[in-house]
Amino acid sequence: MIINTLFSLSIQFILAKILTPNDFGVLAMAVVFTAFIEVISDAGMSAVLIQKKKDFLKPTHYHTANITGFLWSIFLFSIMTLIVAPFASAYMKAEILSKVIPVLCLSLIFNAIILIPKSILIKNMKFREIAVISNLSNLLSGIIAVLLAINDFGLWSLVCYIVCKSLFSIPFYYHFSKWRPKIIWEKKCFTDIFSFGITTSATSFVNVLTGKFDFFIIGKILGSSLLGYYSFAILITNLFRDRLVAVLNKVLYPVYTTLQEDKNKMLSTFIKTTSINITFIYPLMFGIILFSEDFLYLFFENKWNDSIILIKIFSFTVLIQMLNNSHTTLIRAKGDVKIELFLQLTKSLIFFVPLIYFGTYNFGLVGSAVGYLIATILSIIISFVVMKNIFNFKFIFLIKIIGKK
């Protein structure tokens, strides 16, 4: 994870040195629309294949999920290309989005192709193999993106970086998983998978609403250049956190599912994970808070100065987020997917959406960042209440962890 994260950071820094805030802002606008579709691109089938016990799943479940996922991705790609891309271009007043969004959505098809082999590797806890795949695809796509940026391809170098990571991972996932597709589809297997997966997809959709609503509002109200500064600040503060979360969730979800009959062991694992989060991320965030101005000037001079205050605010936000970073994974693995959906809906509609909109509309970029911070604090509180009801979790557990660290 560390090697891959450092390489990703290096690539992003090189691209940020060459490209403009407007390039990053336009990409962020496009990602707002593609992110909503990406979370429902597998209809929650991956989570089902990982969560369900091996004696429940038959080979036909995997083949049914594979065919369903691929056809679903083609349908979503068509919707994004023919309907969403023109709408986004007109609504955000950025004509380039009509071209960028369809290209970005090629990842929908590529991700559908690796749906089953990736799920198998995660279910079998083959995390070393997954790390190798991520490193190789990141390396290849990063090299191409930098070469494109150097040769004045601008925004398209960022687009290529995202799409090529999915494309290059395909042969590696099939190589390591040893799984091969067959043309088999059964209605019963589809029902088994879809009935659970649709709820997890809805939850993921709400999570994206929470995570990308600020991009949408800033892009609409303030424009692509200011959105570029905002997205760069999130990149600086969230890259290590997002990588750690992605790795831990992949590891923890199958682990939690094996413990789903023992709440105490699940809670104990959650507390240990939180301790790991704090150990790795807290020193990094405090370093960013203290030295971000010097760091940015060293690498970029004054190019990204408008991001400095945002970086400090988001660093503090990350400190708060790490207190319950994997709680939704814990709840999902327990099988309480409806509770997870209700929790995420509450946080999104009551806290994040109104606070971010109010902050952006009245105070610009800083207002949006502060609104996100306040919403995060309120969300942590309600999450702890739910955790207490399900797992008898007590906040004093975290106080003791922080005290030890």
Side-chain angles (χ1 to χ4, degrees):
M1 183 200 78
I2 295 177
I3 295 175
N4 192 29
T5 302
L6 289 175
F7 184 78
S8 294
L9 193 61
S10 300
I11 293 296
Q12 298 280 9
F13 277 7
I14 294 172
L15 295 176
K17 182 73 173 179
I18 300 172
L19 305 178
T20 67
N22 186 66
D23 291 328
F24 279 82
V26 172
L27 180 70
M29 282 184 177
V31 168
V32 167
F33 294 94
T34 60
F36 285 103
I37 297 299
E38 285 178 359
V39 297
I40 62 172
S41 61
D42 71 350
M45 291 183 291
S46 177
V48 178
L49 296 175
I50 296 169
Q51 194 265 353
K52 294 298 183 182
K53 295 181 179 180
K54 291 184 178 180
D55 56 359
F56 173 84
L57 296 171
K58 300 180 297 182
T60 48
H61 282 96
Y62 292 98
H63 296 303
T64 298
N66 182 59
I67 294 175
T68 303
F70 183 74
L71 295 177
W72 179 239
S73 71
I74 297 295
F75 171 75
L76 292 178
F77 177 80
S78 301
I79 294 296
M80 293 297 293
T81 301
L82 300 176
I83 300 176
V84 176
F87 166 78
S89 177
Y91 186 77
M92 304 301 282
K93 297 179 181 179
E95 186 178 346
I96 189 66
L97 290 180
S98 63
K99 300 176 182 178
V100 172
I101 289 177
V103 177
L104 282 176
C105 285
L106 289 172
S107 294
L108 294 174
I109 299 174
F110 300 150
N111 289 333
I113 294 173
I114 63 172
L115 169 65
I116 304 304
K118 185 176 181 179
S119 299
I120 290 173
L121 289 179
I122 295 174
K123 188 178 186 67
N124 294 327
M125 302 186 190
K126 301 292 185 180
F127 303 114
R128 179 179 175 276
E129 288 81 354
I130 293 173
V132 171
I133 295 170
S134 181
N135 290 338
L136 289 174
S137 58
N138 201 18
L139 173 64
L140 294 172
S141 58
I143 292 173
I144 293 175
V146 170
L147 290 175
L148 289 174
I150 293 173
N151 287 279
D152 298 324
F153 279 84
L155 167 65
W156 292 105
S157 59
L158 292 169
V159 174
C160 176
Y161 183 51
I162 293 174
V163 174
C164 285
K165 280 193 289 187
S166 298
L167 174 62
F168 292 147
S169 69
I170 293 174
F172 297 122
Y173 271 113
Y174 277 89
H175 170 73
F176 284 111
S177 70
K178 309 299 181 185
W179 185 83
R180 297 295 180 267
K182 295 181 181 179
I183 303 178
I184 299 175
W185 193 92
E186 290 186 6
K187 182 177 179 180
K188 182 182 183 304
C189 293
F190 171 79
T191 304
D192 291 339
I193 297 171
F194 192 76
S195 59
F196 182 92
I198 191 63
T199 306
T200 60
S201 291
T203 302
S204 298
F205 189 88
V206 174
N207 289 341
V208 171
L209 176 62
T210 300
K212 300 299 182 184
F213 183 75
D214 48 350
F215 281 25
F216 180 80
I217 289 300
I218 292 171
K220 178 62 178 176
I221 296 177
L222 304 180
S224 58
S225 292
L226 290 180
L227 177 57
Y229 290 112
Y230 188 89
S231 64
F232 181 75
I234 290 181
L235 167 67
I236 295 294
T237 54
N238 280 23
L239 182 60
F240 278 92
R241 170 193 170 271
D242 289 345
R243 295 283 179 174
L244 180 63
V245 170
V247 171
L248 286 177
N249 284 346
K250 286 179 182 177
V251 174
L252 289 173
Y253 191 53
V255 171
Y256 283 147
T257 56
T258 63
L259 302 174
Q260 56 187 286
E261 303 300 328
D262 192 329
K263 290 184 179 180
N264 291 331
K265 287 185 178 180
M266 294 182 75
L267 181 59
S268 176
T269 303
F270 170 80
I271 293 173
K272 290 177 182 178
T273 303
T274 303
S275 178
I276 294 173
N277 290 341
I278 292 173
T279 300
F280 281 98
I281 300 299
Y282 269 45
L284 180 62
M285 289 301 107
F286 281 120
I288 291 176
I289 291 172
L290 294 173
F291 303 111
S292 56
E293 294 177 61
D294 297 328
F295 174 80
L296 286 186
Y297 184 80
L298 176 63
F299 282 94
F300 309 107
E301 296 182 346
N302 297 319
K303 184 176 183 179
W304 293 97
N305 277 1
D306 289 350
S307 297
I308 292 175
I309 183 63
L310 304 176
I311 289 173
K312 293 179 182 294
I313 295 172
F314 284 129
S315 295
F316 190 73
T317 302
V318 171
L319 295 177
I320 303 299
Q321 290 172 331
M322 299 313 292
L323 295 177
N324 72 341
N325 219 26
S326 64
H327 74 288
T328 54
T329 305
L330 178 67
I331 295 172
R332 182 181 303 178
K334 183 67 177 61
D336 296 322
V337 290
K338 291 183 179 179
I339 294 178
E340 181 194 8
L341 175 59
F342 173 78
L343 175 63
Q344 298 306 93
L345 268 174
T346 301
K347 291 191 293 186
S348 181
L349 299 180
I350 296 180
F351 300 146
F352 282 95
V353 170
L355 286 171
I356 290 171
Y357 180 82
F358 177 82
T360 304
Y361 189 81
N362 291 282
F363 305 103
L365 288 180
V366 173
S368 181
V370 172
Y372 197 98
L373 171 61
I374 295 173
T376 299
I377 295 172
L378 296 174
S379 297
I380 289 289
I381 294 173
I382 193 173
S383 296
F384 285 152
V385 172
V386 173
M387 290 278 289
K388 184 179 187 303
N389 290 334
I390 298 177
F391 298 99
N392 195 30
F393 174 83
K394 298 179 181 178
F395 185 70
I396 191 65
F397 296 155
L398 291 181
I399 298 298
K400 290 180 179 179
I401 292 174
I402 297 173
K404 290 179 181 179
K405 301 300 175 183

